[in-house]
Amino acid sequence: MCKQRHIVELSLDRWQISPLLLRKLLLDSQQQNEESSCVFRVLELTNCEINNECCKVLAQALKTNTRLERIVLRKNKISDVGVNHLIGGVEEMSPQSVLQWIDLEENEVDMDSATVKALNSLLRRDD
């Protein structure tokens, strides 16, 4: 799959995604040379049983992935702990990163919580 370098949107709606599978999908491909690595602009992981451990993997991928624009994580098992992992990844993103949006609707986190507001604030930064 990663040899097809121009995948714009990857939608894995209703797949059961483990941290290991997410690592293979997002991080292992980045460790290869630039010509063979996957390029996603949109990553759709709705109802995939994404949990806080998966958020650690996503946060790690955010540090080096500069092409990802949007992540959809609706209807998963993410709490404030997972959002804090994502915040750490966003804070360490490359200046070239274009990530603008992470959708966390219908998770175990209160959408009005301080952690979600902090994440939204980081994604809307102007620097």
Side-chain angles (χ1 to χ4, degrees), residues 15-111:
W15 283 49
Q16 186 173 354
I17 306 292
S18 68
L20 179 62
L21 180 59
L22 200 55
R23 181 174 307 285
K24 287 184 179 293
L25 181 67
L26 298 176
L27 295 172
D28 291 353
S29 65
Q30 289 180 7
Q31 292 174 0
Q32 299 172 7
N33 65 44
E34 185 65 28
E35 291 182 14
S36 64
S37 64
C38 294
V39 178
F40 306 120
R41 290 189 188 159
V42 178
L43 182 59
E44 165 80 43
L45 299 173
T46 297
N47 204 14
C48 290
E49 299 189 28
I50 300 294
N51 59 26
N52 296 330
E53 287 300 310
C54 291
C55 288
K56 281 184 184 179
V57 175
L58 281 167
Q60 190 176 3
L62 290 176
K63 295 175 187 178
T64 56
N65 185 313
T66 59
R67 294 188 174 108
L68 195 55
E69 297 172 4
R70 183 172 54 158
I71 305 171
V72 180
L73 298 171
R74 289 177 163 257
K75 298 181 182 180
N76 284 294
K77 299 176 179 180
I78 301 168
S79 71
D80 281 336
V81 172
V83 176
N84 279 321
H85 292 313
L86 295 173
I87 287 171
V90 170
E91 287 176 333
E92 295 185 40
M93 285 189 314
S94 164
Q96 291 83 25
S97 177
V98 295
L99 183 66
Q100 298 173 0
W101 188 54
I102 299 176
D103 184 346
L104 291 166
E105 291 288 331
E106 299 182 60
N107 275 283
E108 297 172 1
V109 65
D110 176 4
M111 293 306 292

Side-chain angles (χ1 to χ4, degrees), residues 80 83 87 104 109-121:
D80 281 336
V83 176
I87 287 171
L104 291 166
V109 65
D110 176 4
M111 293 306 292
D112 292 322
S113 73
T115 53
V116 172
K117 288 179 181 179
L119 179 61
N120 287 335
S121 176

Side-chain angles (χ1 to χ4, degrees), residues 3-20:
K3 292 184 187 213
Q4 298 177 14
R5 293 174 278 158
H6 302 290
I7 299 171
V8 174
E9 182 171 346
L10 180 64
S11 179
L12 300 175
D13 190 18
R14 294 185 188 96
W15 283 49
Q16 186 173 354
I17 306 292
S18 68
L20 179 62

